[in-house]
Amino acid sequence: PQSKELEQEEAGYILGAQGNIWTEKISSLQHLEYMVYPRALAVGELTWSPKKEKNPDRFYRKMQSQYGLFKLWDFNARLPDIEHIENVVTNKSQYKLTLTYPLKGAMVRYDLDGKMPDSSIVPMPFPVVIDVPLRDSLDLRTSTTWTLNDQHIRQMATIRRIEVKP
């Protein structure tokens, strides 16, 4: 990997890349696995794939297929995020979003009142359609679980409605 800003002579000093993990801040093997995987896959893709063959969509698909191996080897890999959750500002009176997830068998709990969902909310399989009236704002909070070590990944987004006068 080389920066486009480097001149040819400067680029010759680049020998490779590394993916540092500062273990003095990591208290257990389980936390280390969370910090390393799937980051190690991205470092491998960056350093081993020829520049002309790099394709983020292909890498994303390849990375998702590795979660079965993480599960088989009992690695505590960080789960991917739900796709397309983001903060939104809109003037619409209805909010609609379909929650999708790249790993089969994942379940999600969500709340629209700004509270992190807990076990009192029934988990649902993906995809999940949220279609609600929007008067002021919503604070979407999600908790996704997958069979990998019963691990959870939490996400948040705020959907704000603003009145736009003609």
Side-chain angles (χ1 to χ4, degrees):
Q2 295 176 356
S3 170
K4 294 175 186 173
E5 297 173 4
L6 294 178
E7 294 181 16
Q8 189 68 22
E9 182 182 335
E10 295 169 321
Y13 291 105
I14 305 296
L15 301 178
Q18 62 189 35
N20 295 343
I21 297 292
W22 305 108
T23 57
E24 72 273 8
K25 304 273 186 199
I26 297 173
S27 60
S28 69
L29 178 59
Q30 187 178 21
H31 187 198
L32 178 64
E33 290 172 350
Y34 179 87
M35 298 302 290
V36 169
Y37 296 101
R39 180 188 303 192
L41 302 177
V43 172
E45 177 75 10
L46 173 71
T47 56
W48 295 338
S49 293
K51 193 182 265 188
K52 61 185 172 200
E53 292 180 21
K54 287 186 173 61
N55 179 316
D57 293 330
R58 179 187 54 81
F59 171 69
Y60 182 75
R61 285 189 309 277
K62 281 178 28 182
M63 187 180 74
Q64 301 314 320
S65 70
Q66 299 305 305
Y67 279 90
L69 294 174
F70 295 154
K71 180 179 172 183
L72 176 69
W73 296 330
D74 200 29
F75 280 175
N76 186 41
R78 184 192 185 281
L79 294 177
D81 289 334
I82 296 172
E83 297 166 347
H84 311 297
I85 287 187
E86 56 192 33
N87 294 327
V88 173
V89 176
T90 182
N91 65 347
K92 296 181 179 177
S93 59
Q94 191 75 14
Y95 176 70
K96 185 172 183 177
L97 173 68
T98 301
L99 303 177
T100 58
Y101 199 69
L103 302 179
K104 290 183 188 219
M107 303 287 275
V108 65
R109 292 177 168 99
Y110 74 91
D111 188 283
L112 298 172
D113 293 328
K115 296 180 218 137
M116 196 50 77
D118 59 25
S119 60
S120 67
I121 297 174
V122 176
M124 296 181 280
F126 288 94
V128 173
V129 177
I130 298 172
D131 191 358
V132 294
L134 187 59
R135 291 182 209 39
D136 183 22
S137 66
L138 299 173
D139 287 314
L140 172 62
R141 303 289 185 260
T142 65
S143 178
T144 303
T145 56
W146 189 60
T147 55
L148 180 65
N149 300 328
D150 294 322
Q151 188 179 356
H152 303 272
I153 188 87
R154 296 169 191 246
Q155 288 176 260
M156 300 177 261
T158 300
I159 298 85
R160 295 214 188 300
R161 180 173 186 259
I162 57 169
E163 187 93 18
V164 178
K165 307 239 184 224

